[in-house]
PDB file of all heavy atoms in Angstrom:
ATOM      1  N   THR A  52      91.686 101.529  76.799  1.00  0.00           N
ATOM      2  CA  THR A  52      90.754 102.070  75.800  1.00  0.00           C
ATOM      3  C   THR A  52      89.335 101.580  76.069  1.00  0.00           C
ATOM      4  O   THR A  52      88.373 102.328  75.945  1.00  0.00           O
ATOM      5  CB  THR A  52      91.183 101.691  74.368  1.00  0.00           C
ATOM      6  OG1 THR A  52      91.476 100.298  74.339  1.00  0.00           O
ATOM      7  CG2 THR A  52      92.402 102.462  73.935  1.00  0.00           C
ATOM      8  N   ILE A  53      89.200 100.323  76.506  1.00  0.00           N
ATOM      9  CA  ILE A  53      87.858  99.823  76.831  1.00  0.00           C
ATOM     10  C   ILE A  53      87.283 100.595  78.012  1.00  0.00           C
ATOM     11  O   ILE A  53      86.161 101.107  77.962  1.00  0.00           O
ATOM     12  CB  ILE A  53      87.901  98.309  77.156  1.00  0.00           C
ATOM     13  CG1 ILE A  53      88.287  97.520  75.912  1.00  0.00           C
ATOM     14  CG2 ILE A  53      86.549  97.844  77.690  1.00  0.00           C
ATOM     15  CD1 ILE A  53      88.480  96.038  76.171  1.00  0.00           C
ATOM     16  N   GLY A  54      88.071 100.699  79.086  1.00  0.00           N
ATOM     17  CA  GLY A  54      87.608 101.373  80.293  1.00  0.00           C
ATOM     18  C   GLY A  54      87.260 102.831  80.040  1.00  0.00           C
ATOM     19  O   GLY A  54      86.279 103.354  80.565  1.00  0.00           O
ATOM     20  N   TRP A  55      88.077 103.469  79.215  1.00  0.00           N
ATOM     21  CA  TRP A  55      87.867 104.890  78.950  1.00  0.00           C
ATOM     22  C   TRP A  55      86.476 105.157  78.367  1.00  0.00           C
ATOM     23  O   TRP A  55      85.867 106.177  78.629  1.00  0.00           O
ATOM     24  CB  TRP A  55      88.960 105.389  77.987  1.00  0.00           C
ATOM     25  CG  TRP A  55      89.238 106.849  78.142  1.00  0.00           C
ATOM     26  CD1 TRP A  55      88.578 107.874  77.524  1.00  0.00           C
ATOM     27  CD2 TRP A  55      90.215 107.457  78.983  1.00  0.00           C
ATOM     28  NE1 TRP A  55      89.101 109.079  77.925  1.00  0.00           N
ATOM     29  CE2 TRP A  55      90.110 108.858  78.812  1.00  0.00           C
ATOM     30  CE3 TRP A  55      91.194 106.958  79.867  1.00  0.00           C
ATOM     31  CZ2 TRP A  55      90.930 109.759  79.492  1.00  0.00           C
ATOM     32  CZ3 TRP A  55      92.009 107.852  80.530  1.00  0.00           C
ATOM     33  CH2 TRP A  55      91.874 109.224  80.341  1.00  0.00           C
ATOM     34  N   ASN A  56      85.983 104.206  77.599  1.00  0.00           N
ATOM     35  CA  ASN A  56      84.704 104.407  76.911  1.00  0.00           C
ATOM     36  C   ASN A  56      83.588 103.507  77.434  1.00  0.00           C
ATOM     37  O   ASN A  56      82.565 103.352  76.789  1.00  0.00           O
ATOM     38  CB  ASN A  56      84.890 104.179  75.408  1.00  0.00           C
ATOM     39  CG  ASN A  56      85.876 105.169  74.829  1.00  0.00           C
ATOM     40  OD1 ASN A  56      85.701 106.366  74.950  1.00  0.00           O
ATOM     41  ND2 ASN A  56      86.948 104.657  74.248  1.00  0.00           N
ATOM     42  N   ALA A  57      83.790 102.925  78.624  1.00  0.00           N
ATOM     43  CA  ALA A  57      82.817 101.935  79.094  1.00  0.00           C
ATOM     44  C   ALA A  57      81.567 102.565  79.692  1.00  0.00           C
ATOM     45  O   ALA A  57      80.535 101.924  79.789  1.00  0.00           O
ATOM     46  CB  ALA A  57      83.475 101.017  80.124  1.00  0.00           C
ATOM     47  N   LEU A  58      81.645 103.818  80.114  1.00  0.00           N
ATOM     48  CA  LEU A  58      80.513 104.436  80.796  1.00  0.00           C
ATOM     49  C   LEU A  58      79.770 105.383  79.856  1.00  0.00           C
ATOM     50  O   LEU A  58      80.120 105.528  78.684  1.00  0.00           O
ATOM     51  CB  LEU A  58      80.991 105.178  82.039  1.00  0.00           C
ATOM     52  CG  LEU A  58      81.587 104.264  83.123  1.00  0.00           C
ATOM     53  CD1 LEU A  58      82.202 105.066  84.234  1.00  0.00           C
ATOM     54  CD2 LEU A  58      80.512 103.330  83.681  1.00  0.00           C
ATOM     55  N   ALA A  59      78.757 106.050  80.402  1.00  0.00           N
ATOM     56  CA  ALA A  59      77.913 106.925  79.584  1.00  0.00           C
ATOM     57  C   ALA A  59      78.726 107.996  78.861  1.00  0.00           C
ATOM     58  O   ALA A  59      78.402 108.390  77.748  1.00  0.00           O
ATOM     59  CB  ALA A  59      76.847 107.577  80.468  1.00  0.00           C
ATOM     60  N   HIS A  60      79.775 108.482  79.528  1.00  0.00           N
ATOM     61  CA  HIS A  60      80.638 109.481  78.909  1.00  0.00           C
ATOM     62  C   HIS A  60      82.056 108.917  78.864  1.00  0.00           C
ATOM     63  O   HIS A  60      82.383 108.042  79.654  1.00  0.00           O
ATOM     64  CB  HIS A  60      80.655 110.761  79.751  1.00  0.00           C
ATOM     65  CG  HIS A  60      79.313 111.414  79.847  1.00  0.00           C
ATOM     66  ND1 HIS A  60      78.829 112.275  78.893  1.00  0.00           N
ATOM     67  CD2 HIS A  60      78.345 111.322  80.785  1.00  0.00           C
ATOM     68  CE1 HIS A  60      77.624 112.692  79.249  1.00  0.00           C
ATOM     69  NE2 HIS A  60      77.299 112.117  80.381  1.00  0.00           N
ATOM     70  N   PRO A  61      82.879 109.442  77.973  1.00  0.00           N
ATOM     71  CA  PRO A  61      84.286 109.036  78.045  1.00  0.00           C
ATOM     72  C   PRO A  61      84.883 109.477  79.378  1.00  0.00           C
ATOM     73  O   PRO A  61      84.410 110.443  79.971  1.00  0.00           O
ATOM     74  CB  PRO A  61      84.947 109.769  76.871  1.00  0.00           C
ATOM     75  CG  PRO A  61      83.972 110.781  76.421  1.00  0.00           C
ATOM     76  CD  PRO A  61      82.618 110.357  76.866  1.00  0.00           C
ATOM     77  N   PHE A  62      85.877 108.764  79.855  1.00  0.00           N
ATOM     78  CA  PHE A  62      86.408 109.023  81.195  1.00  0.00           C
ATOM     79  C   PHE A  62      86.912 110.461  81.335  1.00  0.00           C
ATOM     80  O   PHE A  62      86.915 111.014  82.432  1.00  0.00           O
ATOM     81  CB  PHE A  62      87.510 108.017  81.526  1.00  0.00           C
ATOM     82  CG  PHE A  62      87.567 107.688  82.987  1.00  0.00           C
ATOM     83  CD1 PHE A  62      86.584 106.912  83.579  1.00  0.00           C
ATOM     84  CD2 PHE A  62      88.599 108.173  83.781  1.00  0.00           C
ATOM     85  CE1 PHE A  62      86.621 106.617  84.931  1.00  0.00           C
ATOM     86  CE2 PHE A  62      88.646 107.884  85.137  1.00  0.00           C
ATOM     87  CZ  PHE A  62      87.657 107.109  85.722  1.00  0.00           C
ATOM     88  N   THR A  63      87.337 111.053  80.238  1.00  0.00           N
ATOM     89  CA  THR A  63      87.787 112.458  80.252  1.00  0.00           C
ATOM     90  C   THR A  63      86.744 113.367  80.896  1.00  0.00           C
ATOM     91  O   THR A  63      87.089 114.298  81.622  1.00  0.00           O
ATOM     92  CB  THR A  63      88.004 112.951  78.802  1.00  0.00           C
ATOM     93  OG1 THR A  63      88.365 111.839  77.994  1.00  0.00           O
ATOM     94  CG2 THR A  63      89.074 113.998  78.747  1.00  0.00           C
ATOM     95  N   HIS A  64      85.481 113.074  80.638  1.00  0.00           N
ATOM     96  CA  HIS A  64      84.386 113.867  81.176  1.00  0.00           C
ATOM     97  C   HIS A  64      84.424 113.888  82.711  1.00  0.00           C
ATOM     98  O   HIS A  64      84.296 114.938  83.335  1.00  0.00           O
ATOM     99  CB  HIS A  64      83.071 113.267  80.670  1.00  0.00           C
ATOM    100  CG  HIS A  64      81.856 114.048  81.050  1.00  0.00           C
ATOM    101  ND1 HIS A  64      81.381 115.092  80.297  1.00  0.00           N
ATOM    102  CD2 HIS A  64      81.019 113.934  82.125  1.00  0.00           C
ATOM    103  CE1 HIS A  64      80.301 115.595  80.879  1.00  0.00           C
ATOM    104  NE2 HIS A  64      80.062 114.916  81.981  1.00  0.00           N
ATOM    105  N   TYR A  65      84.604 112.706  83.309  1.00  0.00           N
ATOM    106  CA  TYR A  65      84.615 112.630  84.764  1.00  0.00           C
ATOM    107  C   TYR A  65      85.871 113.258  85.337  1.00  0.00           C
ATOM    108  O   TYR A  65      85.836 113.893  86.399  1.00  0.00           O
ATOM    109  CB  TYR A  65      84.484 111.174  85.215  1.00  0.00           C
ATOM    110  CG  TYR A  65      83.324 110.476  84.553  1.00  0.00           C
ATOM    111  CD1 TYR A  65      83.526 109.395  83.703  1.00  0.00           C
ATOM    112  CD2 TYR A  65      82.027 110.922  84.761  1.00  0.00           C
ATOM    113  CE1 TYR A  65      82.462 108.777  83.074  1.00  0.00           C
ATOM    114  CE2 TYR A  65      80.953 110.315  84.134  1.00  0.00           C
ATOM    115  CZ  TYR A  65      81.169 109.238  83.296  1.00  0.00           C
ATOM    116  OH  TYR A  65      80.117 108.637  82.666  1.00  0.00           O
ATOM    117  N   LEU A  66      86.983 113.079  84.631  1.00  0.00           N
ATOM    118  CA  LEU A  66      88.225 113.720  85.077  1.00  0.00           C
ATOM    119  C   LEU A  66      88.044 115.236  85.089  1.00  0.00           C
ATOM    120  O   LEU A  66      88.456 115.920  86.029  1.00  0.00           O
ATOM    121  CB  LEU A  66      89.388 113.334  84.164  1.00  0.00           C
ATOM    122  CG  LEU A  66      89.884 111.889  84.283  1.00  0.00           C
ATOM    123  CD1 LEU A  66      90.842 111.559  83.132  1.00  0.00           C
ATOM    124  CD2 LEU A  66      90.580 111.665  85.606  1.00  0.00           C
ATOM    125  N   ALA A  67      87.404 115.762  84.050  1.00  0.00           N
ATOM    126  CA  ALA A  67      87.194 117.212  83.975  1.00  0.00           C
ATOM    127  C   ALA A  67      86.280 117.670  85.110  1.00  0.00           C
ATOM    128  O   ALA A  67      86.546 118.688  85.761  1.00  0.00           O
ATOM    129  CB  ALA A  67      86.601 117.588  82.621  1.00  0.00           C
ATOM    130  N   ASN A  68      85.209 116.912  85.384  1.00  0.00           N
ATOM    131  CA  ASN A  68      84.328 117.271  86.487  1.00  0.00           C
ATOM    132  C   ASN A  68      85.079 117.306  87.814  1.00  0.00           C
ATOM    133  O   ASN A  68      84.943 118.238  88.603  1.00  0.00           O
ATOM    134  CB  ASN A  68      83.163 116.276  86.596  1.00  0.00           C
ATOM    135  CG  ASN A  68      82.103 116.529  85.537  1.00  0.00           C
ATOM    136  OD1 ASN A  68      82.117 117.570  84.879  1.00  0.00           O
ATOM    137  ND2 ASN A  68      81.195 115.588  85.381  1.00  0.00           N
ATOM    138  N   SER A  69      85.870 116.266  88.053  1.00  0.00           N
ATOM    139  CA  SER A  69      86.657 116.241  89.277  1.00  0.00           C
ATOM    140  C   SER A  69      87.601 117.432  89.343  1.00  0.00           C
ATOM    141  O   SER A  69      87.779 118.040  90.400  1.00  0.00           O
ATOM    142  CB  SER A  69      87.478 114.948  89.366  1.00  0.00           C
ATOM    143  OG  SER A  69      86.736 113.941  90.002  1.00  0.00           O
ATOM    144  N   ALA A  70      88.203 117.774  88.201  1.00  0.00           N
ATOM    145  CA  ALA A  70      89.151 118.881  88.174  1.00  0.00           C
ATOM    146  C   ALA A  70      88.462 120.193  88.549  1.00  0.00           C
ATOM    147  O   ALA A  70      89.015 121.006  89.295  1.00  0.00           O
ATOM    148  CB  ALA A  70      89.804 119.005  86.801  1.00  0.00           C
ATOM    149  N   VAL A  71      87.225 120.377  88.062  1.00  0.00           N
ATOM    150  CA  VAL A  71      86.489 121.606  88.395  1.00  0.00           C
ATOM    151  C   VAL A  71      86.226 121.671  89.901  1.00  0.00           C
ATOM    152  O   VAL A  71      86.486 122.693  90.561  1.00  0.00           O
ATOM    153  CB  VAL A  71      85.151 121.665  87.620  1.00  0.00           C
ATOM    154  CG1 VAL A  71      84.293 122.818  88.128  1.00  0.00           C
ATOM    155  CG2 VAL A  71      85.421 121.814  86.134  1.00  0.00           C
ATOM    156  N   VAL A  72      85.726 120.570  90.461  1.00  0.00           N
ATOM    157  CA  VAL A  72      85.426 120.542  91.892  1.00  0.00           C
ATOM    158  C   VAL A  72      86.691 120.795  92.713  1.00  0.00           C
ATOM    159  O   VAL A  72      86.712 121.596  93.653  1.00  0.00           O
ATOM    160  CB  VAL A  72      84.780 119.194  92.289  1.00  0.00           C
ATOM    161  CG1 VAL A  72      84.629 119.097  93.796  1.00  0.00           C
ATOM    162  CG2 VAL A  72      83.436 119.027  91.614  1.00  0.00           C
ATOM    163  N   VAL A  73      87.780 120.116  92.332  1.00  0.00           N
ATOM    164  CA  VAL A  73      89.029 120.258  93.079  1.00  0.00           C
ATOM    165  C   VAL A  73      89.552 121.692  92.990  1.00  0.00           C
ATOM    166  O   VAL A  73      89.949 122.279  93.998  1.00  0.00           O
ATOM    167  CB  VAL A  73      90.080 119.260  92.560  1.00  0.00           C
ATOM    168  CG1 VAL A  73      91.458 119.626  93.067  1.00  0.00           C
ATOM    169  CG2 VAL A  73      89.720 117.848  92.998  1.00  0.00           C
ATOM    170  N   ALA A  74      89.518 122.265  91.789  1.00  0.00           N
ATOM    171  CA  ALA A  74      90.043 123.624  91.628  1.00  0.00           C
ATOM    172  C   ALA A  74      89.245 124.602  92.488  1.00  0.00           C
ATOM    173  O   ALA A  74      89.812 125.455  93.180  1.00  0.00           O
ATOM    174  CB  ALA A  74      89.984 124.044  90.156  1.00  0.00           C
ATOM    175  N   GLY A  75      87.917 124.465  92.473  1.00  0.00           N
ATOM    176  CA  GLY A  75      87.086 125.338  93.301  1.00  0.00           C
ATOM    177  C   GLY A  75      87.388 125.169  94.775  1.00  0.00           C
ATOM    178  O   GLY A  75      87.512 126.151  95.516  1.00  0.00           O
ATOM    179  N   ALA A  76      87.519 123.919  95.204  1.00  0.00           N
ATOM    180  CA  ALA A  76      87.766 123.652  96.620  1.00  0.00           C
ATOM    181  C   ALA A  76      89.119 124.211  97.055  1.00  0.00           C
ATOM    182  O   ALA A  76      89.239 124.806  98.130  1.00  0.00           O
ATOM    183  CB  ALA A  76      87.694 122.149  96.895  1.00  0.00           C
ATOM    184  N   VAL A  77      90.138 124.037  96.218  1.00  0.00           N
ATOM    185  CA  VAL A  77      91.475 124.514  96.575  1.00  0.00           C
ATOM    186  C   VAL A  77      91.464 126.037  96.694  1.00  0.00           C
ATOM    187  O   VAL A  77      91.917 126.608  97.695  1.00  0.00           O
ATOM    188  CB  VAL A  77      92.521 124.057  95.538  1.00  0.00           C
ATOM    189  CG1 VAL A  77      93.842 124.786  95.748  1.00  0.00           C
ATOM    190  CG2 VAL A  77      92.727 122.552  95.625  1.00  0.00           C
ATOM    191  N   LEU A  78      90.909 126.693  95.703  1.00  0.00           N
ATOM    192  CA  LEU A  78      90.866 128.151  95.723  1.00  0.00           C
ATOM    193  C   LEU A  78      90.077 128.643  96.945  1.00  0.00           C
ATOM    194  O   LEU A  78      90.525 129.535  97.678  1.00  0.00           O
ATOM    195  CB  LEU A  78      90.226 128.678  94.431  1.00  0.00           C
ATOM    196  CG  LEU A  78      90.248 130.194  94.282  1.00  0.00           C
ATOM    197  CD1 LEU A  78      91.680 130.673  94.110  1.00  0.00           C
ATOM    198  CD2 LEU A  78      89.393 130.637  93.096  1.00  0.00           C
ATOM    199  N   GLY A  79      88.930 128.034  97.181  1.00  0.00           N
ATOM    200  CA  GLY A  79      88.089 128.436  98.312  1.00  0.00           C
ATOM    201  C   GLY A  79      88.820 128.294  99.632  1.00  0.00           C
ATOM    202  O   GLY A  79      88.831 129.209 100.455  1.00  0.00           O
ATOM    203  N   ASN A  80      89.459 127.154  99.853  1.00  0.00           N
ATOM    204  CA  ASN A  80      90.168 126.941 101.115  1.00  0.00           C
ATOM    205  C   ASN A  80      91.329 127.916 101.280  1.00  0.00           C
ATOM    206  O   ASN A  80      91.560 128.422 102.383  1.00  0.00           O
ATOM    207  CB  ASN A  80      90.697 125.504 101.185  1.00  0.00           C
ATOM    208  CG  ASN A  80      89.670 124.562 101.788  1.00  0.00           C
ATOM    209  OD1 ASN A  80      88.652 125.016 102.320  1.00  0.00           O
ATOM    210  ND2 ASN A  80      89.922 123.280 101.702  1.00  0.00           N
TER     211      ASN A  80
END
Side-chain angles (χ1 to χ4, degrees):
Chain A
T52 48
I53 294 174
W55 207 273
N56 298 303
L58 295 172
H60 297 276
F62 212 72
T63 331
H64 185 87
Y65 309 116
L66 289 169
N68 283 348
S69 271
V71 171
V72 173
V73 166
V77 168
L78 186 67
N80 271 350

